[in-house]
Amino acid sequence: MVTSQIQSQLSGISEASLSLTPAAHPIKQTSFSTVWHSVDLPATPLFGTDGIRGRVGDLLSAPLAMQIGFWAGQVLRSGNGSATGAVIVGQDPRNSSDMLAMALSAGLTAAGLEVWHLGICPTPCVAYLTSVSPAIGGVMISASHNPPEDNGIKFFGADGTKLPQAIQEKIEAGIRGNADFPMLNGCWGRQYQRAELTGEYLESLHKPLLGEIDLRGMRIVLDLAWGAAVHLAPAAFKAMGAEVICLHDRPDGSRINVNCGSTHLHSLKEAVKHHKADLGLAFDGDADRVMAVDSCGRVVDGDYILYFWGQNLAFAQQLPGNLIISTVMANLGFERAWQKLGGQMVRTAVGDQYVHAAMLQHGAMLGGEQSGHILCPHYGVSGDGLLTAMHLAALVKRSGVSLAELVDGSFQTYPQLLKNVRVEDREVRLGWKNCEPLHKAIADAETAMGDEGRVLVRASGTEPLIRVMVEAVSLELADRCADNLVLAVQKYLL
């Protein structure tokens, strides 16, 4: 159902201005037969765990983005009864985002679709607006927590959730010249600037909280990572009555995520202590995840957020089976503490799409990742760092104690080390499981640790990295095993 603000905005656009005039510029399939298959593509799949992501000028380029837009438009139209419609597009402030957004829009409009361009906004804003409007899809231009030189293209279906793998594969088949569906003829689409619709998203964040709780008396530091939340996050917390102190609070495509945000918490820790704040909250570049810092400067990651939010939902009888969905990265200390409370935990592979799939399978109402990507269908259709941050702050206010006191009364984490090895060769990185010497090194580490720890080696789905995670009862054991595995990765994959 279209919400009131979107209805009012749509009413201001006349039938004539929205008309696509089918007879004016018909698309002829033959005219695109060579144009849409002229980009060099890697042998490995384009779509990873979080859309298409990579180094701009290497994997990602304007010609590829235009093809992605065109074939995504074809697939979205074919799944919508061949009808034309709108696709909502948002972006983060990276220097390459304008270029990719314009190229993508060119492809979408060539496929006969309207584009509603929101400008700079969080990824969850695109997901939410797609879910409540007549749009047939949404796209976010962002590389999330990646460095400035990377970028990405992430798609959402009409319900605001990520496109299923089968749909992504159809888009990729079209890009590679292997489409198994007829290309739809039609008319050129149009692009409209719709930045005003972000207010609808902000309203949706406030609605469950305003009138029930406010944040007056709380001093909160926000690290906005020079990213997509720079405009909306401060407004959201100020509207709740909080005193807000902002770090890295301008859109800056050259510095997005650089030594700041949810993956670099040093400056947030220092600011929380300096300003004697109640807590700090750090977003990544596209604000679909959040990490917190308590007044003592301790990191409060996604495991703690799931634990606290899970307790509150269970108390309100809104957590079926007291079940939380997490990933293989979740700390053993968190899992065992949750089980002591009578809760259940199901682990998935790393990636919010796997968490979301498991939540649907088990009927769960809370899930997420240690990295701070949290999903709660009671309040949102996707992982949302800003939504999670507001609910965490409200939870602390309701508790009557500080976040630090909540942490003290929760659980002790097992020492967990995560080390990254950069492997630029995409095929080597994604094919690491075929490396027998590395498998032997992993087996040796597992034997050495026995029941006192666990090992996880995986290729990142979002960055050119092999990630090595070791968790053990002692930091010394974890550090020794992690170093040995890093050396093995460097020896056999570089």
Side-chain angles (χ1 to χ4, degrees):
M1 180 177 293
V2 183
T3 53
S4 58
Q5 182 172 343
I6 293 181
Q7 285 178 321
S8 64
Q9 297 295 339
L10 285 175
S11 65
I13 302 177
S14 68
E15 289 290 329
S17 67
L18 290 176
S19 172
L20 298 180
T21 57
H25 300 288
I27 295 177
K28 296 180 180 179
Q29 184 166 343
T30 54
S31 66
F32 288 99
S33 59
T34 56
V35 173
W36 298 109
H37 302 121
S38 59
V39 176
D40 290 334
L41 298 171
T44 51
L46 290 174
F47 283 91
T49 58
D50 206 23
I52 300 172
R53 189 177 298 185
R55 186 70 56 91
V56 179
D58 181 5
L59 175 66
L60 282 175
S61 63
L64 177 59
M66 187 161 62
Q67 285 210 33
I68 293 168
F70 178 77
W71 287 106
Q74 289 289 318
V75 172
L76 290 172
R77 283 188 63 188
S78 66
N80 196 45
S82 301
T84 57
V87 174
I88 295 177
V89 176
Q91 65 180 79
D92 71 17
R94 291 167 203 270
N95 294 340
S96 59
S97 290
D98 282 349
M99 175 266 289
L100 292 176
M102 287 189 283
L104 184 90
S105 294
L108 287 167
T109 53
L113 296 178
E114 246 178 62
V115 172
W116 294 355
H117 189 223
L118 304 177
I120 294 174
C121 67
T123 291
C125 178
V126 175
Y128 172 77
L129 291 173
T130 302
S131 73
V132 299
S133 75
I136 64 174
V139 192
M140 181 67 183
I141 309 295
S142 176
S144 190
H145 57 280
N146 285 33
E149 59 268 22
D150 292 347
N151 217 322
I153 299 174
K154 183 188 310 185
F155 286 92
F156 298 94
D159 62 354
T161 63
K162 291 182 180 177
L163 287 182
Q165 183 176 349
I167 302 299
Q168 294 180 358
E169 289 173 354
K170 287 189 71 173
I171 296 171
E172 183 159 347
I175 296 169
R176 293 183 181 275
N178 300 318
D180 59 357
F181 55 91
M183 191 157 60
L184 297 170
N185 294 324
C187 49
W188 308 120
R190 296 284 301 277
Q191 175 174 294
Y192 298 92
Q193 300 300 318
R194 303 303 305 275
E196 79 282 352
L197 294 181
T198 59
E200 180 81 3
Y201 165 68
L202 196 59
E203 182 182 341
S204 76
L205 298 176
H206 287 145
K207 190 173 181 180
L209 298 172
L210 285 176
E212 295 186 9
I213 188 75
D214 63 56
L215 304 179
R216 284 179 293 180
M218 294 188 75
R219 178 178 294 169
I220 299 174
V221 180
L222 302 179
D223 185 342
L224 304 167
W226 309 113
V230 293
H231 302 307
L232 294 182
F237 279 92
K238 288 175 182 177
M240 292 289 294
E243 179 186 349
V244 177
I245 298 163
C246 293
L247 309 176
H248 315 115
D249 59 345
R250 298 188 307 279
D252 190 329
S254 298
R255 291 190 286 177
I256 186 170
N257 296 321
V258 177
N259 296 321
C260 62
S262 64
T263 53
H264 301 278
L265 297 171
H266 176 75
S267 59
L268 180 63
K269 293 177 184 179
E270 293 298 316
V272 167
K273 292 179 181 178
H274 175 75
H275 293 285
K276 295 181 172 56
D278 294 284
L279 69 152
L281 297 160
F283 304 96
D284 62 339
D286 70 334
D288 65 352
R289 63 173 70 179
V290 66
M291 296 282 273
V293 169
D294 70 14
S295 57
C296 299
R298 294 177 298 186
V299 175
V300 180
D301 62 17
D303 288 350
Y304 283 102
I305 295 170
L306 287 170
Y307 184 83
F308 298 141
W309 207 351
Q311 282 184 306
N312 274 255
L313 291 174
F315 180 79
Q317 297 185 334
Q318 293 182 324
L319 194 67
N322 288 342
L323 174 63
I324 290 176
I325 306 295
S326 193
T327 75
V328 292
M329 293 297 295
N331 194 278
L332 279 172
F334 162 41
E335 181 177 25
R336 292 176 181 176
W338 183 245
Q339 289 169 343
K340 284 183 180 179
L341 294 178
Q344 304 177 66
M345 180 182 292
V346 170
R347 291 179 183 262
T348 74
V350 174
D352 66 288
Q353 68 182 42
Y354 302 114
V355 173
H356 181 254
M359 290 176 70
L360 292 177
Q361 179 185 350
H362 295 279
M365 296 303 290
L366 183 65
E369 301 183 86
Q370 190 182 75
S371 61
H373 198 132
I374 310 296
L375 296 96
C376 185
H378 287 303
Y379 302 106
V381 297
S382 68
D384 189 333
L386 185 47
L387 183 152
T388 300
M390 293 177 67
H391 280 267
L392 177 63
L395 181 156
V396 172
K397 183 68 180 291
R398 287 193 188 101
S399 74
V401 300
S402 68
L403 179 58
E405 289 173 288
L406 289 176
V407 171
D408 288 338
S410 58
F411 59 88
Q412 288 291 323
T413 58
Y414 284 42
Q416 189 181 80
L417 295 179
L418 178 62
K419 299 192 177 185
N420 298 319
V421 182
R422 196 169 187 93
V423 180
E424 295 288 355
D425 190 311
R426 182 182 173 91
E427 294 190 33
V428 170
R429 185 174 71 251
L430 296 182
W432 75 269
K433 291 183 179 179
N434 299 321
C435 180
E436 288 299 328
L438 183 53
H439 273 292
K440 184 179 184 304
I442 294 170
D444 290 344
E446 290 174 336
T447 299
M449 296 177 73
D451 295 333
E452 295 186 339
R454 63 192 184 101
V455 172
L456 176 66
V457 176
R458 67 182 184 89
S460 171
T462 58
E463 297 179 86
L465 302 172
I466 294 291
R467 301 193 190 276
V468 175
M469 188 279 288
V470 178
E471 186 175 71
V473 293
S474 74
L475 181 59
E476 180 183 2
L477 178 59
D479 194 45
R480 184 170 66 251
C481 289
D483 284 344
N484 289 339
L485 287 172
V486 166
L487 289 173
V489 171
Q490 291 172 336
K491 179 178 180 179
Y492 298 117
L493 296 185
L494 297 184

